[in-house]
Every structure is written in structure tokens, then in C-alpha cells.
């Protein structure tokens, strides 16, 4: 009887590890859920998360998932753990680019255990970072973009002397991101839509983070502590 009257909208964290679950369902009323752990089950498909707009951490370790999709509505998702599944194609990870707040992704452990088949590909890391260049953590490696992302980009480097033509005092930029203002070089410039999308996604992430920090600060201060609230 208690389970029937329990208010699912108050649930923020839910763990259903090793419960023999084969399908994600009955979560439509958990609209305030921020963490969901369904590790060690028999789930083959990611689904049933359409109403979880506040979900920040999703743990699906040791299931039977082959495709990573149906996460488009989880716009706040920051951490995705998928070790020990059956993901074998990089193309199945393309949908992750639609998650602007995503910070960390695990498809294997940092020691190489619980690997998905895709992790054995020679171009696994570079391919995934080309999809998610803003990642802060890949498989336990912090800030992987510092070491991996530029390796998978076309070579566009010019010496600083040549790039200094863009204007005095301006810092060096890869030619693929330099906004040309006339001159012969502008004829060769082609925008890299993938990089532009990555920059836009990072801006959206910063906007979301800033908004959340402001809301937390306001809650901590309270109405009496806000500037001007004590004036008579």
C-alpha cells in the first residue's frame, strides 16, 4: 500500500542494480531524478527516459546494450557509464553529440577491464573525441581533449609569423577557426561545422552551469541576505 501512494516526483536518486531488469520502464513520473543506476541487469536498449530532463548521472554497467540512443531528452546528463556492454560501432555513439552537458563517458575502466567491443578499435579514442571534443573524462582519463582530440583533426597548423597577419596582438588560432577578413587566404578557408557545433555545445554547457550556480547561491543566501532586502 505504501508503494502505491509513494510520490515518485520526490525521488532524486534511484538504484536498481542486479534486479533482473530487461527493459527500462515506469520512470515517467520520476521527473526530478538526477541519478539512475541500473547496473548488472539484462537491458538491451536505452529507452523510457524521455521525462528525465534533470538526469545528470546514468549508470548502465554490465548490461547488453548495443546502441546508444534515446537520450536526446536528457539535456542535463553529465556522466554516462556504459562499461561491460556490447557496443561495437563508433557510429552507435553519434547521438551523444546531442548532449551538451556531457562531461564524462565510460566504455571501459581506466585499467582496460569491462571493455565494450568498440574499445578494441585502433581509432576508438580519436573517433569518440571527434564526436565529443569537449569531454572532460573518457574512461577515467581526465581532460582527454588535451592529448587526443587534436591528433584526430586535419593538419591545419601554420607558423605564428604567418598567422600574425590577422592583426597585431592577436593570439595564434588554427586556420580552420580563423575568421578571414579579405586577402588570398580567405579563398581557402572552409568552416569546420563539427568544431563549430562543439563550441556551441560548450557554450550551452557553461550557460547551464552558470544558471545552476546562481540558483544555488540564491538558495544559500536566502531572501533576507540578498542585496537591498534589508532596506526599509
Amino acid at each position: 500500500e505504501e508503494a502505491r501512494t509513494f510520490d515518485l516526483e520526490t525521488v532524486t536518486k534511484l538504484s536498481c542494480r542486479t534486479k533482473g531488469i530487461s527493459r527500462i520502464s515506469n520512470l515517467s513520473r520520476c521527473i526530478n531524478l538526477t541519478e539512475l543506476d541500473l547496473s548488472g541487469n539484462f537491458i538491451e536498449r536505452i529507452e523510457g527516459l524521455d521525462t528525465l530532463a534533470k538526469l545528470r548521472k546514468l549508470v548502465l554497467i554490465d548490461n547488453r546494450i548495443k546502441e546508444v540512443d534515446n537520450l536526446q531528452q536528457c539535456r542535463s546528463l553529465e556522466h554516462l557509464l556504459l562499461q561491460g556492454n556490447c557496443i561495437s560501432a563508433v557510429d552507435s555513439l553519434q547521438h551523444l553529440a546531442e548532449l551538451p552537458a556531457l562531461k564524462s563517458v565510460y566504455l571501459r575502466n581506466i585499467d582496460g577491464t569491462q571493455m565494450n567491443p568498440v574499445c578494441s578499435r585502433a581509432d576508438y579514442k580519436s573517433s569518440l573525441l571527434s564526436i565529443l571534443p569537449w569531454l572532460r573524462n573518457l574512461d577515467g582519463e581526465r581532460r582527454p581533449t588535451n592529448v587526443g582530440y587534436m591528433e584526430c583533426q586535419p593538419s591545419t597548423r601554420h607558423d605564428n609569423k604567418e598567422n600574425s597577419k590577422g592583426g597585431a596582438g592577436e593570439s595564434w588560432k588554427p586556420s580552420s577557426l580563423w575568421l578571414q577578413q579579405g586577402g588570398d587566404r580567405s579563398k581557402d578557408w572552409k568552416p569546420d561545422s563539427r568544431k563549430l557545433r562543439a563550441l556551441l555545445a560548450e557554450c550551452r554547457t557553461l550557460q547551464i552551469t552558470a544558471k545552476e550556480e546562481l540558483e544555488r547561491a540564491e538558495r544559500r543566501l536566502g531572501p533576507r541576505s540578498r542585496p537591498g532586502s534589508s532596506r526599509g
Side-chain angles (χ1 to χ4, degrees):
E1 185 65 27
E2 291 182 2
R4 294 179 182 176
T5 59
F6 189 75
D7 188 0
L8 295 177
E9 295 183 1
T10 64
V11 178
T12 58
K13 297 182 181 181
L14 179 62
S15 177
C16 295
R17 301 166 62 99
T18 61
K19 299 294 184 181
I21 298 171
S22 59
R23 183 178 179 183
I24 304 174
S25 60
N26 299 320
L27 294 174
S28 59
R29 293 176 56 194
C30 299
I31 57 175
N32 290 308
L33 202 63
T34 60
E35 295 186 16
L36 176 61
D37 188 349
L38 297 173
S39 300
N41 286 292
F42 304 103
I43 298 168
E44 297 183 358
R45 186 184 180 201
I46 300 175
E47 58 185 342
L49 305 177
D50 294 345
T51 62
L52 307 187
K54 297 182 180 180
L55 189 66
R56 293 185 180 180
K57 184 176 182 179
L58 178 59
V59 186
L60 293 169
I61 299 171
D62 287 332
N63 278 281
R64 300 176 179 178
I65 297 167
K66 296 180 180 179
E67 301 283 337
V68 182
D69 53 8
N70 298 322
L71 289 171
Q72 295 89 334
Q73 302 304 319
C74 301
R75 305 290 291 178
S76 300
L77 190 63
E78 298 179 355
H79 310 288
L80 180 61
L81 287 74
L82 293 165
Q83 302 99 305
N85 278 280
C86 306
I87 302 165
S88 59
V90 174
D91 290 343
S92 67
L93 303 170
Q94 292 286 345
H95 292 294
L96 294 180
E98 301 174 9
L99 303 175
L102 198 59
K103 297 178 181 178
S104 66
V105 173
Y106 282 79
L107 291 165
R108 62 183 175 187
N109 294 323
I110 194 169
D111 60 0
T113 57
Q114 291 184 293
M115 290 176 56
N116 279 267
V118 69
C119 299
S120 62
R121 292 173 52 113
D123 63 345
Y124 157 67
K125 180 179 177 181
S126 60
S127 296
L128 185 54
L129 289 177
S130 69
I131 298 171
L132 302 168
W134 60 85
L135 269 190
R136 298 183 185 178
N137 185 330
L138 174 58
D139 300 332
E141 179 183 344
R142 301 287 181 176
R143 302 200 62 83
T145 52
N146 289 348
V147 287
Y149 178 54
M150 293 308 296
E151 296 172 3
C152 67
Q153 298 302 306
S155 178
T156 57
R157 186 176 180 84
H158 296 271
D159 57 46
N160 290 339
K161 184 176 181 180
E162 181 182 355
N163 280 286
S164 65
K165 296 177 182 179
E170 293 181 314
S171 59
W172 179 87
K173 303 180 182 68
S175 60
S176 60
L177 291 178
W178 195 292
L179 300 180
Q180 305 292 341
Q181 297 181 353
D184 294 336
R185 290 178 61 201
S186 63
K187 298 178 182 178
D188 299 326
W189 181 79
K190 296 180 181 180
D192 189 329
S193 59
R194 182 174 57 191
K195 289 184 178 180
L196 293 176
R197 285 197 299 270
L199 289 172
L200 288 173
E202 186 173 357
C203 288
R204 287 194 292 268
T205 301
L206 291 172
Q207 183 181 23
I208 293 171
T209 303
K211 182 178 179 181
E212 292 174 348
E213 290 299 327
L214 285 173
E215 291 175 350
R216 292 193 189 100
E218 288 181 352
R219 287 195 294 270
R220 287 196 299 267
L221 289 172
R224 296 182 179 180
S225 301
R226 293 175 185 171
S229 61
S230 60
R231 294 178 182 177

